[in-house]
């Protein structure tokens, strides 16, 4: 099927494009450093690069991805949320539209029956195997894995979309294999696609199409447009209910929040905590892990300080933790936006994670203050930064403080109910799309 080949080809190009991001490379290296099993697998791949073994391993991983996805069937709104932050974002939409039938494409223990090839399956697996070998000659192995995952996820999602008459497809992921594959499979069946973002997009972004995009802020909308994403309608998340003016506490002992990314640099965190503990103005430090924390040693690291001033956040919302703090410190994290929206000065810490400097351009665009590295932290200096003329207008680029979540929710609900009755007649691939076979990529 021509459209099928075109979609997959664009999907492969999209995931390879996303994986060029420096932050992705940094996270990959961090994960490799955390797990002995991955290091052993990498050593095997390095020794067998010119054999079929790495491609076979990639194919096995892809089959595992295919076999772990399932659905209870039925019609309604198909949705996929592999990670906690995706599920949380989609959960808000489900609350807005309780009258819709929501059908999850769930991830669970793989079914052996699903892993068995169907008619023509062996031929397709041999094609994927050849593709994996060709890609491995030009790309790092983790990119080969991601491409194979994308292809097998796509095959499984197509099966599920063909098994029922879905009226809409909802996702919160636009860059990982499962998110791209879900989008493409829905488009193949002519099902309207909704993206509800859970944070700032990281450049580069896969150029996908959406009928509705509920995005983080105006700056995020600009990134999607620059990447070539097509959004028929865009709505920006409302932050007005959380917005209060920036204030600096007058009491002598401050509560400081350190909000971590998923890929924390231990040594940089250690230096930051030492600096805060040595500050006479800091009385308590709350460390909040990322919802997808990849550092297994975080608990032991915090316990090793044996300091009553340092605590670890557990099972609380991000705004609960923000409101507990007088000042927030973070690296390449959207938490900066949440903090300053809630009236808490936020400080950018370079090197706290494996991403590049100022990943989201918060510092470069004048939204977030970066404390000077050559002198102790001064709360009054932070206060002066956030009292600058025009700073609130800068905030509006990164947070919709003029509308609250209820107002935006009404717009989102109306748009979704409209989409639910407007299933597309077929795939919307444009004539300018490249029409090569994905196996020739």
């Amino acid at each position: 099927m021509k459209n099928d080949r075109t979609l997959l080809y664009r999907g492969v190009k999209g995931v390879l494009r996303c994986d060029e991001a420096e932050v992705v490379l940094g996270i990959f290296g961090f994960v490799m450093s955390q797990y002995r099993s991955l290091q052993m697998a990498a050593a095997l791949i390095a020794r067998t690069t010119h054999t079929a073994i790495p491609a076979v391993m990639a194919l096995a991983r892809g089959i595992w991805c295919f076999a772990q996805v399932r659905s209870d069937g039925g019609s309604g709104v198909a949705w996929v949320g592999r990670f906690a932050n995706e599920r949380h974002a989609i959960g808000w939409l489900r609350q807005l539209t309780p009258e819709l039938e929501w059908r999850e494409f769930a991830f669970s223990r793989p079914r052996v029956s699903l892993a068995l090839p169907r008619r023509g399956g062996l031929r397709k697996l041999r094609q994927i195997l050849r593709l994996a070998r060709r890609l491995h000659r030009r790309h790092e192995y983790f990119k080969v894995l991601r491409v194979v995952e994308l292809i097998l996820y796509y095959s499984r999602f197509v099966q599920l979309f063909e098994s029922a008459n879905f009226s809409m497809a909802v996702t919160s992921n636009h860059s990982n294999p499962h998110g791209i594959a879900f989008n493409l499979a829905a488009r193949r069946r002519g099902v309207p696609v909704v993206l509800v973002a859970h944070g700032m997009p990281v450049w580069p972004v896969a150029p996908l199409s959406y009928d509705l995009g509920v995005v983080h802020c105006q700056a995020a909308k600009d990134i999607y447009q620059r990447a070539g994403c097509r959004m028929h309608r865009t709505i920006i998340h409302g932050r007005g209910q959380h917005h209060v003016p920036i204030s600096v506490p007058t009491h002598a002992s401050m509560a400081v929040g350190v909000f971590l990314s998923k890929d924390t640099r231990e040594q940089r965190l250690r230096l930051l905590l030492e600096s805060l503990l040595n500050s006479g103005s800091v009385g308590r430090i709350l460390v909040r892990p990322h919802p997808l924390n990849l550092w297994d040693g975080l608990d032991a690291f915090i316990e090793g300080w044996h300091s009553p001033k340092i605590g670890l956040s557990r099972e609380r919302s991000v705004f609960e933790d923000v409101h507990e703090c007088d000042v927030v410190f973070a690296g390449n994290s959207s938490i900066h936006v949440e903090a300053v929206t809630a009236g808490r000065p936020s400080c950018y810490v370079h090197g706290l994670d494996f991403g590049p400097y100022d990943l989201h351009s918060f510092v470069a665009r004048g939204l977030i203050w970066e404390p000077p590295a050559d002198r102790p932290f001064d709360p009054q200096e932070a206060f002066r930064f956030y009292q600058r003329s025009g700073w609130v207008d800068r905030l509006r680029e990164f947070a919709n403080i003029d509308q609250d979540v209820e107002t935006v929710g009404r717009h989102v609900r109306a748009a979704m109910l409209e989409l639910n009755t407007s299933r597309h007649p077929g795939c919307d691939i444009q004539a300018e799309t490249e029409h090569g076979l994905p196996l020739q990529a």
Side-chain angles (χ1 to χ4, degrees):
M1 181 176 179
K2 187 175 182 180
N3 280 341
D4 195 50
R5 295 196 302 267
T6 301
L7 282 167
L8 261 180
Y9 183 71
R10 293 190 70 186
V12 169
K13 290 183 66 176
V15 76
L16 288 174
R17 178 183 181 182
C18 290
D19 289 346
E20 289 299 319
E22 186 177 344
V23 64
V24 174
L25 299 175
I27 291 175
F28 170 72
F30 176 76
V31 172
M32 288 293 297
S33 70
Q34 294 289 299
Y35 299 99
R36 176 67 176 166
S37 59
L38 293 181
Q39 296 168 15
M40 294 174 63
L44 173 61
I45 291 165
R47 291 195 301 268
T48 60
T49 295
H50 301 294
T51 72
I53 291 177
V56 171
M57 293 172 62
L59 181 60
R61 168 66 183 176
I63 294 173
W64 185 88
C65 291
F66 179 97
Q68 74 171 158
V69 181
R70 66 187 67 185
S71 174
D72 294 334
S75 60
V77 179
W79 68 281
V80 62
R82 188 178 178 191
F83 303 118
N85 47 5
E86 298 174 29
R87 301 180 69 87
H88 177 75
I90 295 172
W92 176 61
L93 298 190
R94 297 178 65 186
Q95 292 175 356
L96 288 176
T97 55
E99 65 269 47
L100 299 181
E101 294 184 74
W102 290 79
R103 306 291 183 181
E104 182 180 7
F105 288 6
F107 297 83
S108 57
R109 179 175 296 179
R111 290 180 179 177
V112 175
S113 59
L114 284 179
L116 297 176
R118 298 185 180 184
R119 184 176 180 180
L122 287 175
R123 179 179 58 83
K124 293 178 182 178
L125 293 181
R126 284 195 294 268
Q127 288 180 320
I128 296 172
L129 194 65
R130 290 195 296 270
L131 171 64
R133 297 197 68 176
R134 285 200 293 271
L135 287 173
H136 196 200
R137 298 188 192 111
R138 290 183 285 171
H139 299 281
E140 296 177 79
Y141 186 68
F142 86 93
K143 296 181 181 179
V144 179
L145 280 177
R146 301 254 291 180
V147 167
V148 174
E149 288 179 5
L150 172 100
I151 293 172
L152 271 298
Y153 275 135
Y154 173 79
S155 297
R156 180 58 178 148
F157 289 148
V158 166
Q159 284 186 1
L160 295 178
F161 275 110
E162 289 178 342
S163 68
N165 186 30
F166 293 107
S167 58
M168 191 163 33
V170 178
T171 180
S172 185
N173 188 290
H174 58 258
S175 59
N176 283 335
H178 71 277
I180 296 175
F182 182 79
N183 177 290
L184 299 179
R187 287 182 60 202
R188 181 182 186 273
R189 294 291 296 171
V191 178
V193 181
V194 175
L195 171 70
V196 52
H198 57 264
M200 286 289 291
V202 175
W203 184 268
V205 175
L208 302 174
S209 294
Y210 304 95
D211 297 270
L212 172 65
V214 186
V215 302
H216 195 66
C217 59
Q218 180 61 47
K221 178 181 176 180
D222 294 342
I223 291 174
Y224 288 118
Q225 290 178 338
R226 183 160 56 95
C229 293
R230 290 178 291 165
M231 292 187 180
H232 179 70
R233 182 176 181 183
T234 307
I235 299 175
I236 297 175
H237 281 291
R239 309 288 183 187
Q241 74 278 8
H242 295 299
H243 181 231
V244 296
I246 292 283
S247 61
V248 172
T250 56
H251 48 269
S253 183
M254 294 189 307
V256 172
V258 178
F259 289 68
L260 303 179
S261 301
K262 65 182 72 172
D263 52 329
T264 304
R265 287 185 183 268
E266 179 179 347
Q267 185 58 32
R268 186 65 184 90
L269 176 59
R270 186 181 301 278
L271 292 174
L272 174 61
L273 294 181
E274 288 175 352
S275 174
L276 293 175
L277 287 173
N278 291 332
S279 172
S281 61
V282 176
R284 186 166 65 91
I285 303 172
L286 176 68
V287 179
R288 178 184 172 88
H290 191 277
L292 301 179
N293 173 50
L294 299 173
W295 181 17
D296 281 348
L298 177 59
D299 286 2
F301 173 84
I302 296 298
E303 292 172 2
W305 285 86
H306 303 294
S307 172
K309 288 187 175 183
I310 302 178
L312 196 63
S313 174
R314 305 277 188 187
E315 303 296 330
R316 301 207 319 169
S317 74
V318 64
F319 278 107
E320 286 178 311
D321 282 338
V322 165
H323 284 292
E324 282 289 317
C325 304
D326 298 309
V327 179
V328 166
F329 287 78
N332 290 307
S333 172
S334 297
I335 190 60
H336 289 296
V337 178
E338 315 297 348
V340 295
T341 299
R344 303 307 194 263
S346 193
C347 308
Y348 177 73
V349 182
H350 177 41
L352 193 56
D353 49 54
F354 285 80
Y357 173 72
D358 194 19
L359 174 65
H360 300 301
S361 299
F362 291 156
V363 175
R365 296 179 65 174
L367 176 71
I368 299 300
W369 181 58
E370 182 180 13
D374 58 350
R375 59 179 184 266
F377 170 67
D378 180 0
Q380 294 302 321
E381 192 173 359
F383 178 76
R384 289 191 293 272
F385 177 90
Y386 290 109
Q387 292 300 309
R388 296 176 357 262
S389 175
W391 179 83
V392 174
D393 291 330
R394 182 68 64 191
L395 174 60
R396 285 189 168 93
E397 297 179 23
F398 294 91
N400 180 11
I401 59 176
D402 298 312
Q403 292 180 302
D404 59 27
V405 67
E406 291 187 7
T407 301
V408 171
R410 288 194 294 270
H411 295 316
V412 172
R413 170 181 164 80
M416 291 190 65
L417 293 180
E418 180 181 345
L419 275 178
N420 192 58
T421 60
S422 62
R423 178 186 170 118
H424 294 180
C427 181
D428 63 347
I429 292 295
Q430 297 293 312
E432 71 273 10
T433 303
E434 297 176 76
H435 292 288
L437 279 168
L439 300 186
Q440 296 171 344

